[in-house]
Amino acid sequence: MRPPHGLGGTTECDRTDLLPPGYQVGKWVVTQLIGAGGWSTVYAARPAGGHPDQTGGTTKPPGPTDVALKIMPTAGLAPRQARRIVESAHREVELGRRAGHPRLIDLLESFVLAAPDRPALDGAIVLIMERAVGSLRELIDAGVPDADRGRLIAGICEGLAHLHRTGWVHADLKPENVLLGSDRSVKLSDFGLATELTGTHGYAPPMGTLDYFPPERWRAPLGELGVRVRPTADIWALGIVIHEVFASGGSPFAGATPVARGAAVQEYGEGRAPLRMDHAVPPFWRALAADCLAPTHETRAPHTAESLLARIAAHQETPDAGAGRLGGRARAAVLATALCGIVGAALCSDAVRATPGAGATTPRTIRVYNAERGCQERADRDPRCSLGLAVDPVQPYTAENVVPTRVWHGDVLTADCQAPDGEPIIDEEDRRSTRWFRVRLPAGSKPPTAWLPAVRTKERPALPECL
């Protein structure tokens, strides 16, 4: 396990080499443990001492008053392990010295710790970094505010664009390594695996976080210099992060363990499985993440961090971007849905009328279509092939907005009206639609009606708009 950097919480552990609050490391005094892992331990710290002032008190030392100390012990390690620790620290120091940027965590200084009273830490490498107030992982776990999502992703792109311009690959991008400043600004961190490019690629140690490996990494040969990495590896990881930001931390690749999810990544990379993204990811960000998650280095290469950042900037400048504003009739459908929730579904099931002037409603039958070929071929009603129907077509298509009744490929439903301006939906074949059909559910179902997105049927019945 690798430790979190500069975070606010304390990780419980039974390490005997941990430093107590008040212990002095160089000119810094430890205040609390932030996190501990196999490679290093990170502490919060403040400057030691102060300068006498004219009143007999002390003044604060100049410079930062709150930092993170990353301590990387080398005592008692095998030569190869110690060498990896030194190489990792060297990468962080070198990148911090040459690639400083507001979107990268700032490295203030580094030194070797002399601690004869603590043999396990004597000779450890110490990195002094600016202190962050939290990580993107913590924010995802708590729920990322809608208004912050685009800004956070843009900040990650800024940091990656700078790294790539200056000839570096992060090689371990994940929400734990995206820190947040006190002003909520984005700071990329943990450059222990960062790789300097020599031409089009560089070499990294055979380490990292499996959930963020691109397909080509799983079969990359290990040479004398390590595993070959390129900037497109960071772009792939960015696609996973984008999906997590909008899907409450969920991965687009199914599996109960990182290895199982890695197997799904390899199937996708070999063209044996489609890319499946959560419906909670809005259309613009879905398209952006899909480009980041192009299955090969060659198809991913055109989507650089700079080009992605430009697309985000253009999207954010578009009036009402992502707001999903609806026309008057669609707003009426929302109101009708809300009223149904108040007065009872049974009453509302008979309350559908056609748009004025359109004539009486004539129900039409429509057949459910599942773009997953494997599900089309199944004769049984496997729960994994079931499709959800929405409670409200103008709300995000998430689990909270799905009725209990499920449908499968080939099911025939009766539709009585449509909402043309609902939530945009993209299926596994990249078909996109904002059109929804209101369908009647089997007798006894609660609620008695639900909404089927148009991409889940091949039929296009002429139906009036719902009021």
Side-chain angles (χ1 to χ4, degrees):
M1 184 183 78
R2 304 187 68 196
H5 281 187
L7 309 185
T10 298
T11 300
E12 296 293 337
C13 60
D14 57 2
R15 296 264 298 267
T16 59
D17 57 351
L18 297 181
L19 298 177
Y23 190 90
Q24 186 164 337
V25 178
K27 60 182 181 182
W28 306 95
V29 174
V30 170
T31 57
Q32 69 179 66
L33 172 69
I34 293 175
W39 281 22
S40 59
T41 309
V42 183
Y43 301 90
R46 57 174 174 75
H51 303 289
D53 61 21
Q54 295 180 351
T55 66
T58 59
T59 59
K60 292 182 179 179
T65 58
D66 197 14
V67 299
L69 306 183
K70 181 176 182 179
I71 300 182
M72 308 169 74
T74 58
L77 297 180
R80 175 179 289 185
Q81 292 175 314
R83 186 165 59 252
R84 283 183 174 172
I85 295 291
V86 172
E87 289 172 351
S88 174
H90 174 75
R91 280 190 293 270
E92 295 213 46
V93 171
E94 190 67 10
L95 191 147
R97 183 176 65 84
R98 295 168 51 188
H101 188 270
R103 293 291 168 263
L104 308 183
I105 204 76
D106 194 12
L107 177 66
L108 304 175
E109 63 174 304
S110 63
F111 56 89
V112 174
L113 177 63
D117 59 325
R118 292 181 175 268
L121 293 177
D122 195 30
I125 300 170
V126 181
L127 305 180
I128 312 297
M129 302 172 294
E130 72 175 298
R131 175 80 186 280
V133 298
S135 73
L136 180 58
R137 173 63 69 201
E138 292 173 317
L139 194 57
I140 288 173
D141 290 344
V144 184
D146 291 347
D148 285 344
R149 289 170 173 167
R151 178 184 61 80
L152 293 169
I153 295 168
I156 298 170
C157 281
E158 287 181 40
L160 287 181
H162 177 74
L163 280 178
H164 297 171
R165 276 196 308 268
T166 53
W168 290 85
V169 178
H170 187 289
D172 197 21
L173 179 68
K174 57 185 177 181
E176 289 85 347
N177 292 340
V178 178
L179 302 186
L180 307 175
S182 57
D183 59 354
R184 309 301 286 173
S185 60
V186 168
K187 304 276 187 177
L188 302 189
S189 74
D190 201 339
F191 304 111
L193 297 180
T195 299
E196 189 170 14
L197 297 172
T198 53
T200 60
H201 60 272
Y203 292 92
M207 300 175 181
T209 309
L210 300 182
D211 273 318
Y212 302 89
F213 280 5
E216 64 270 15
R217 176 69 184 271
W218 287 91
R219 53 183 180 270
L222 175 61
E224 275 187 35
L225 300 177
V227 178
R228 177 182 289 192
V229 295
R230 292 171 284 204
T232 55
D234 285 346
I235 299 302
W236 172 275
L238 174 64
I240 301 292
V241 171
I242 291 172
H243 189 274
E244 289 185 278
V245 165
F246 286 97
S248 302
S251 170
F253 298 97
T257 66
V259 172
R261 291 188 287 274
V265 167
Q266 294 173 74
E267 283 193 357
Y268 165 69
E270 294 166 1
R272 295 186 287 116
L275 177 63
R276 301 179 180 92
M277 284 193 272
D278 194 295
H279 291 294
V281 184
F284 170 80
W285 298 103
R286 176 183 291 266
L288 201 78
D291 286 341
C292 293
L293 298 174
T296 65
H297 158 72
E298 291 75 17
T299 54
R300 212 177 309 129
H303 307 295
T304 65
E306 287 187 342
S307 71
L308 295 169
L309 185 59
R311 287 167 62 182
I312 294 172
H315 173 70
Q316 291 175 333
E317 290 172 1
T318 302
D320 301 327
R325 295 201 171 187
L326 305 168
R329 290 172 181 169
R331 283 195 296 272
V334 179
L335 179 59
T337 303
L339 290 174
C340 286
I342 296 172
V343 303
L347 175 63
C348 287
S349 64
D350 297 323
V352 178
R353 298 195 305 275
T355 301
T361 299
T362 301
R364 302 292 179 91
T365 58
I366 56 176
R367 189 176 299 273
V368 175
Y369 173 76
N370 189 335
E372 295 280 359
R373 184 162 299 177
C375 290
Q376 296 173 14
E377 298 168 352
R378 295 187 71 99
D380 62 344
R381 296 171 79 80
D382 189 319
R384 293 172 295 179
C385 289
S386 67
L387 300 173
L389 301 172
V391 177
D392 188 339
V394 296
Q395 295 299 319
Y397 195 25
T398 59
E400 294 76 17
N401 188 30
V402 173
V403 300
T405 302
R406 309 289 290 186
V407 296
W408 281 261
H409 178 78
D411 284 358
V412 177
L413 305 175
T414 298
D416 49 26
C417 62
Q418 64 171 302
D421 300 314
E423 179 76 8
I425 299 297
I426 301 175
D427 73 359
E428 293 79 5
E429 295 176 337
D430 289 329
R431 296 188 304 147
R432 180 184 184 277
S433 177
T434 60
R435 190 179 182 195
W436 293 72
F437 299 113
R438 193 167 76 173
V439 297
R440 299 175 183 176
L441 301 181
S445 299
K446 294 183 180 181
T449 62
W451 295 85
L452 177 76
V455 294
R456 291 304 188 189
T457 180
K458 289 268 187 165
E459 299 170 34
R460 295 294 181 267
L463 289 171
E465 293 182 24
C466 302
L467 283 176

